[in-house]
Amino acid sequence: EPEVTQTPSHQVTQMGQEVILRCVPISNHLYFYWYRQILGQKVEFLVSFYNNEISEKSEIFDDQFSVERPDGSNFTLKIRSTKLEDSAMYFCASILDRVTNEKLFFGSGTQLSVL
Amino acid sequence: QKEVEQNSGPLSVPEGAIASLNCTYSDRVSQSFFWYRQYSGKSPELIMSIYSNGDKEDGRFTAQLNKASQYVSLLIRDSQPSDSATYLCAVIGGYQKVTFGTGTKLQVIP
């Protein structure tokens, strides 16, 4: 069964460093998302991406965050200068399309620890 | 104002009982509703989707939707200890944004 894959599964970084979280969405999916979940808290929307551009972003997704789809398969989330409060599980997700199938499929997540 | 609201629980039910999980949402234009199950430290897993008013059954799970009341629920029949998890209600509103509730923690007591 096709799945969303994320790498790495764990990332440890120093405060102020840049990190790139990588995702390979399901190959024929059209809509891509990043979510994060701070330990013990809700799954929070960060950004949605469609047709090579951001379609919506949350208040969390400030200038320190960016997303990119550099080729036909990868979808990345970059945090330019990490803060302690960026420590969370980051989930990538994708949807086939909005007309016939809106089911959101999640990757297994990247646990980011900022020290 | 919270967009998707759930009782955080924990909701404790004995094994074999029916677990009832509830969710309300604020965006009236929402058309698509989902229930996800999340085990501790794992990613959310889709278990049910519902798009129209009424009930939708899949095995031991029944999703119920009432758009007029902006209410969606999940019933789990014959609850098993393996059903113990956090259940997330998710709603798709405008701009393909999927919004999650805080989740309800379910504990099924053997």
Side-chain angles (χ1 to χ4, degrees):
Chain A
E1 183 176 329
E3 58 181 19
V4 178
T5 57
Q6 289 186 245
T7 54
S9 57
H10 293 86
Q11 175 85 52
V12 181
T13 190
Q14 296 290 324
M15 188 171 59
Q17 294 297 303
E18 174 182 288
V19 295
I20 297 176
L21 309 182
R22 303 182 189 280
C23 169
V24 179
I26 296 173
S27 61
N28 60 340
H29 282 196
L30 302 177
Y31 296 84
F32 313 116
Y33 302 80
W34 283 101
Y35 286 82
R36 79 171 187 191
Q37 187 174 32
I38 296 170
L39 185 63
Q41 298 186 24
K42 68 182 288 186
V43 176
E44 298 177 292
F45 170 78
L46 293 179
V47 65
S48 60
F49 192 86
Y50 170 71
N51 199 25
N52 283 320
E53 61 182 22
I54 291 173
S55 48
E56 188 169 3
K57 58 184 180 180
S58 72
E59 294 175 350
I60 302 168
F61 195 89
D62 61 21
D63 292 344
Q64 293 300 312
F65 291 87
S66 63
V67 289
E68 195 176 38
R69 187 157 165 83
D71 52 43
S73 60
N74 292 286
F75 179 51
T76 62
L77 174 69
K78 181 192 291 186
I79 309 174
R80 290 189 182 82
S81 179
T82 50
K83 307 182 189 71
L84 296 176
E85 55 265 36
D86 293 328
S87 295
M89 179 74 88
Y90 287 80
F91 293 111
C92 175
S94 65
I95 286 178
L96 174 60
D97 65 59
R98 288 298 311 281
V99 176
T100 60
N101 191 332
E102 293 183 290
K103 296 177 182 177
L104 188 64
F105 290 88
F106 282 87
S108 56
T110 294
Q111 179 66 56
L112 176 65
S113 299
V114 182
L115 305 178
Chain B
Q1 180 186 8
K2 292 185 178 180
E3 297 179 30
V4 180
E5 290 199 50
Q6 295 180 254
N7 188 323
S8 61
L11 172 67
S12 294
V13 299
E15 183 175 354
I18 295 175
S20 178
L21 305 164
N22 304 314
C23 172
T24 58
Y25 59 96
S26 61
D27 187 353
R28 286 193 170 273
V29 302
S30 299
Q31 294 296 318
S32 305
F33 308 88
F34 304 89
W35 283 99
Y36 286 82
R37 177 176 61 200
Q38 186 178 31
Y39 294 109
S40 181
K42 301 295 184 181
S43 59
E45 172 194 10
L46 179 68
I47 53 173
M48 286 288 289
S49 60
I50 188 165
Y51 304 99
S52 54
N53 283 327
D55 295 0
K56 179 181 178 183
E57 187 174 318
D58 183 1
R60 295 188 295 112
F61 299 98
T62 299
Q64 299 173 317
L65 175 62
N66 184 325
K67 291 185 180 180
S69 301
Q70 295 175 244
Y71 174 91
V72 58
S73 66
L74 179 70
L75 300 177
I76 306 174
R77 290 181 298 282
D78 187 24
S79 296
Q80 301 297 308
S82 58
D83 294 328
S84 297
T86 297
Y87 288 80
L88 308 175
C89 174
V91 174
I92 292 186
Y95 299 103
Q96 305 92 41
K97 179 182 173 183
V98 182
T99 303
F100 286 84
T102 53
T104 298
K105 186 173 182 179
L106 173 66
Q107 295 176 339
V108 180
I109 312 300

